[in-house]
Amino acid sequence: MKIDLPNITAFVTVARAGGFREGARISGGSASRLSDQVRRLEAELGVRLFNRSTRSVALTEAGEGLLNRLSPALDEMELALDVVNSFRSRPAGTLKLNVPVSAARLVLPHFIPPFLAAYPDIRVEVITEENFVDVLAEGCDAGIRYDESLELDMIAIPIGPRTQRFAAAASPGYLEKHGMPEHPRDLLEHACLRGRFASGTMISWEFERGDETIELNPGGPLLVRPGGGTDLATHAACMGTGIVYLFEDWLQPYFDSGALVPVLADWWPRFPGPKLYYPGRRLVPTPLRTFIDFIKSRPWPNDQAKEKPRSE
């Protein structure tokens, strides 16, 4: 059976995007053209691949089976074309990254603008996701996560600061009213602004000084999901609602402006910085290889042990 490759590509695009409109946005085409191509493919195969309604598009069982068999072949085809691309004088293509919001805010601004300026033929797409995902299944080239989230078959290289710290902070007004905690356990008597992952797991507050390590789950009036809710927790802390616990780099601008004051700075725990990770079982696409070489050549500014700010 001879099947037109553009029709197959249209099917995979719609299936991965979850709909014709999103598929058209990603591919730069039109939804009506994708719909026509998928209908032609269904007619050629003699089977329905999508269940369509006015509100949703979902793969049929036959569609899921076809997608599972086609995806590896199309991925290999893209890599084969990318080998040709590597012979170009200027690297080109799309680099798709899956990163947490913290990396999009604190790490990527150092790399992405100069990278795009240096390689104008490369397009970068950034997807923010707090949970660890299979980058291949999500159609991404690479991701950014921390060591505890990485699988064994992944290649990981440092990106951003080699060491980071979690920090606790509160507004001057809150501390004037409720007092400055002297020990991490004092936080159990304070209003703490907490985070909870989509899985339902609460984010523990960890502190360390010397050989002593303390893990707490204090109560408080506000609970947010990391990523989208982090700015809300920070704003609430600035308004005097309670004590917030986040990346030190995230809170540093508020320390600099005086909107927030460091709390228990002698207890802030250090941890290894983020890693750029990608599957080790496949060839590295040219845009990703170019990005890897770029971040290796661009050291993180002031990547050294930071002086602990003094509590006020």
Side-chain angles (χ1 to χ4, degrees), residues 161-216:
R162 299 300 183 263
T163 302
Q164 291 182 274
R165 292 194 299 179
F166 280 116
S171 70
Y174 176 88
L175 295 174
E176 182 178 353
K177 183 177 181 180
H178 299 281
M180 173 69 76
E182 299 296 332
H183 189 276
R185 293 191 183 90
D186 294 342
L187 294 173
L188 298 175
E189 304 301 323
H190 281 265
C192 295
L193 313 180
R194 300 293 305 281
R196 182 168 62 189
F197 290 114
S199 64
T201 302
M202 294 289 291
I203 301 175
S204 298
W205 288 18
E206 298 180 359
F207 297 90
E208 63 182 23
R209 187 171 67 180
D211 296 330
E212 187 176 4
T213 301
I214 297 174
E215 182 176 333
L216 298 172

Side-chain angles (χ1 to χ4, degrees), residues 171 174 178 191-193 221-222 233 235-243:
S171 70
Y174 176 88
H178 299 281
C192 295
L193 313 180
L222 180 63
H235 180 73
C238 293
M239 298 299 292
T241 305
I243 298 175

Side-chain angles (χ1 to χ4, degrees), residues 11 59 86 114 124 152 170 182 203 219 240 310:
F11 162 73
L59 284 167
S86 66
V124 177
L152 295 179
E182 299 296 332
I203 301 175
R310 293 175 294 176

Side-chain angles (χ1 to χ4, degrees), residues 14-38:
V14 173
R16 287 177 171 177
F20 290 96
R21 289 185 179 178
E22 182 65 13
R25 185 190 67 80
I26 294 173
S27 64
S30 68
S32 60
R33 179 177 176 80
L34 287 177
S35 180
D36 290 340
Q37 290 175 309
V38 170

Side-chain angles (χ1 to χ4, degrees), residues 73-217:
L74 289 176
D75 288 340
E76 288 302 316
M77 186 181 299
E78 290 176 359
L79 288 174
L81 294 173
D82 195 68
V83 170
V84 177
N85 178 54
S86 66
F87 288 93
R88 293 165 54 101
S89 60
R90 295 197 305 182
T94 297
L95 171 63
K96 192 172 182 180
L97 302 175
N98 186 290
V99 309
V101 171
S102 59
R105 178 167 182 170
L106 303 177
V107 176
L108 290 185
H110 177 69
F111 296 104
I112 295 301
F115 176 74
L116 293 176
Y119 300 98
D121 292 333
I122 293 180
R123 173 176 175 266
V124 177
E125 181 178 353
V126 177
I127 298 173
T128 55
E129 176 90 41
E130 294 304 315
N131 297 326
F132 183 80
V133 299
D134 183 334
V135 292
L136 286 182
E138 294 296 318
C140 297
D141 299 297
I144 296 178
R145 291 298 186 275
Y146 289 85
D147 284 339
E148 67 272 11
S149 300
L150 299 180
E151 296 179 356
L152 295 179
D153 62 344
M154 293 289 174
I155 296 176
I157 62 172
I159 181 172
R162 299 300 183 263
T163 302
Q164 291 182 274
R165 292 194 299 179
F166 280 116
S171 70
Y174 176 88
L175 295 174
E176 182 178 353
K177 183 177 181 180
H178 299 281
M180 173 69 76
E182 299 296 332
H183 189 276
R185 293 191 183 90
D186 294 342
L187 294 173
L188 298 175
E189 304 301 323
H190 281 265
C192 295
L193 313 180
R194 300 293 305 281
R196 182 168 62 189
F197 290 114
S199 64
T201 302
M202 294 289 291
I203 301 175
S204 298
W205 288 18
E206 298 180 359
F207 297 90
E208 63 182 23
R209 187 171 67 180
D211 296 330
E212 187 176 4
T213 301
I214 297 174
E215 182 176 333
L216 298 172
N217 284 286

